[in-house]
Amino acid sequence: MSPLAFTSEETSPYVRALLADQGIAAGSVDLAIDERDEMLGFLIASHEGNRERALFTYFRSGLSIADSMTQILRWRFGGLGGVERMLDFASGYGRVVRFLLRDVPAGRVWVSDIYDGAVAFQEERFGVHGIVSTVRPEDFACGERFDAILVTSLFTHLPEERFVGWLRVLLGLLRPGGALVFSVHDEKILEPGREMPANGLFFQELSESGSLSTSDYGSTWVTEEFVRGAVARAAGGPVSVHRIERGLCNFQDLYVAVAEEGVDFSGLSFQGEPFLQIDDCALPSPDRLTLRGWAVVRTGGVREVQVVVDGQVLGTAPVEDPRPDVAALIGGEFERCGWACSCPLPASASRSTSILIVRVIDARGVSHPLWASSIDAALLSASRQHVAYLNHLLRQSEARKAEAEARAAAEIGGLQARIAAMEASRFWKMRNAWFRAKRGLGLTEET
């Protein structure tokens, strides 16, 4: 077996804090991470080399994705006990499946990935069944059929032909009554300045993978119309499709496809992961911590924000303050999304070593620990945001000044051009000649 980047025996205060927050007993989940897992490396880079915070995000995102998938499976099968065979396709190294195994026995779970090492790792660590995938969907061979197929962050990377091809293959692997759940990048999160093609799919040869060809595995954004059309083409028969906006980690859209006509999705009461923004973090005195920000969720609801230090809830704030700036940015329905919390710091708290967690409680009462750092790191992050905001205002001011100067220069240039045109005109030349004649005859009062 390949060496591990993290082991269940390794002591990590951030991971320990996350498990405690989620009520997961130590040793109940295999936390091993293979050193070849590119996702952990990507997260470490995203957190500026902070491995502890990257580990927190790695496991927190796995928990969040597992929760999203579990909600859909419970809707479709009346509970996870009704899932006799489940496939986690494009599973990576088990970031999600390790948490799904809390509710589904390993003997009922298959994983598939293009990396044979990822499949072998999960077979050996988690006891699941493994199938090595292929680049081309037409080369994929699988004799199994499944009640549920879950696909996280594969269709976010495929060109159109592969997008439709993999939908066709995976829909063909469903047992009667089965469901395919997959995520996509919606057109709404396409980078500014990029124009969506007429076919509804924008593909760019760029990805975080360091080993797959970007022509096969790039970055993809799609319209809802394209997805529904692609599913219809791939199914080749009756199919019902349901979209959950920002259903995966408050970023990717989730689609549920069932190869039946007229499926009623109204009973799917889905709660998405909230988005948390911390605008300000300060220590107005050594024994008091204040935080302010906003929290929203596209599907579901949020109740409150809680501030936790070293496992102790220090303060709770309802999410209800008016934030017209946020409403202008993302939609009027989110105007009352602000929160603010001022809480006492216990004498035992350390600014450099204590773990600060800011979590959002959703409409179900479920905790989403969306921020974890030291108190000093939170203060630094807030300061950086404030500086970035001031720089933004400065750039805006400079841009307005440049626009005003450009308008003034244009107006002056226009006036100069008009004067030059007048002076060059026949009328102006005759006028000047007349005044010269008058001066020559002494008919003016000029001296």
Side-chain angles (χ1 to χ4, degrees), residues 135-433:
V135 173
R136 302 194 313 166
E138 55 267 31
D139 296 333
F140 185 66
C142 177
E144 304 291 339
R145 295 296 181 269
F146 305 96
D147 300 297
I149 300 177
L150 314 178
V151 191
T152 303
S153 298
L154 171 66
F155 290 94
T156 54
H157 296 284
L158 301 177
E160 181 174 2
E161 182 181 356
R162 297 277 166 80
F163 194 108
V164 177
W166 277 117
L167 281 176
R168 183 176 296 111
V169 168
L170 295 173
L171 286 168
L173 295 179
L174 288 175
R175 300 169 80 179
L180 169 65
V181 186
F182 62 98
S183 67
V184 303
H185 289 148
D186 188 73
E187 62 175 325
K188 292 179 182 178
I189 62 171
L190 184 61
E191 303 165 0
R194 302 285 187 179
E195 184 176 348
M196 180 63 68
N199 68 344
L201 181 145
F202 182 92
F203 178 76
Q204 186 177 16
E205 292 192 15
L206 177 68
S207 83
E208 70 276 8
S209 175
S211 54
L212 296 176
S213 169
T214 53
S215 62
D216 297 317
Y217 190 85
S219 296
T220 303
W221 294 262
V222 290
T223 64
E224 181 176 359
E225 182 181 9
F226 172 84
V227 175
R228 291 183 178 276
V231 172
R233 280 187 284 161
V239 63
S240 298
V241 180
H242 179 67
R243 176 194 177 207
I244 304 173
E245 185 180 3
R246 303 289 183 94
L248 198 75
C249 298
N250 192 50
F251 188 65
Q252 298 180 21
D253 284 7
L254 278 176
Y255 282 86
V256 185
V258 181
E260 295 177 4
E261 191 172 2
V263 173
D264 182 9
F265 292 98
S266 62
L268 176 51
S269 180
F270 186 87
Q271 172 66 56
E273 176 187 291
F275 175 82
L276 172 73
Q277 173 67 28
I278 300 176
D279 292 329
D280 294 312
C281 178
L283 284 173
S285 64
D287 61 350
R288 182 156 292 274
L289 177 68
T290 62
L291 298 103
R292 183 183 68 88
W294 50 278
V296 300
V297 67
R298 296 283 179 174
T299 306
V302 294
R303 293 183 184 177
E304 61 189 25
V305 170
Q306 295 182 350
V307 178
V308 182
V309 172
D310 292 337
Q312 179 183 352
V313 178
L314 302 185
T316 298
V319 181
E320 61 183 14
D321 295 345
R323 288 295 299 264
D325 56 327
V326 177
L329 180 67
I330 62 176
E333 68 270 29
F334 299 112
E335 182 168 3
R336 303 194 70 84
C337 65
W339 60 270
C341 190
S342 177
C343 45
L345 273 179
S348 58
S350 165
R351 287 178 49 169
S352 59
T353 61
S354 289
I355 298 176
L356 165 68
I357 290 180
V358 184
R359 62 194 187 192
V360 178
I361 308 303
D362 70 22
R364 301 170 298 173
V366 173
S367 167
H368 297 264
L370 298 176
W371 174 273
S373 73
S374 68
I375 296 172
D376 276 342
L379 293 169
L380 177 60
S381 176
S383 296
R384 286 176 172 174
Q385 286 190 80
H386 187 60
V387 170
Y389 178 66
L390 291 177
N391 285 333
H392 171 69
L393 293 180
L394 178 60
R395 288 192 297 270
Q396 283 187 328
S397 177
E398 290 175 342
R400 286 194 292 266
K401 178 183 177 183
E403 290 176 2
E405 290 176 345
R407 285 196 299 269
E411 291 174 1
I412 292 171
L415 288 172
Q416 290 174 336
R418 288 172 60 188
I419 292 171
M422 289 173 60
E423 291 177 342
S425 68
R426 182 180 179 186
F427 168 80
W428 196 265
K429 291 177 180 178
M430 292 178 62
R431 173 186 176 281
N432 288 342

Side-chain angles (χ1 to χ4, degrees), residues 68-142:
S68 295
M69 297 300 185
T70 296
Q71 290 183 65
I72 296 170
L73 295 178
R74 285 179 176 153
W75 160 78
R76 183 59 183 167
F77 300 101
L80 272 68
V83 182
E84 295 182 7
R85 289 169 174 257
M86 181 176 70
L87 171 64
D88 185 7
F89 191 76
S91 61
Y93 284 83
R95 179 167 56 116
V96 177
V97 79
R98 72 183 74 226
F99 295 112
L100 291 171
L101 291 175
R102 294 183 298 164
D103 298 303
V104 183
R108 297 184 183 182
V109 178
W110 278 253
V111 298
S112 182
D113 197 87
I114 196 168
Y115 295 118
D116 55 357
V119 174
F121 171 79
Q122 293 176 89
E123 288 177 314
E124 295 170 12
R125 296 295 313 195
F126 308 140
V128 297
H129 307 282
I131 309 168
V132 178
S133 186
T134 57
V135 173
R136 302 194 313 166
E138 55 267 31
D139 296 333
F140 185 66
C142 177

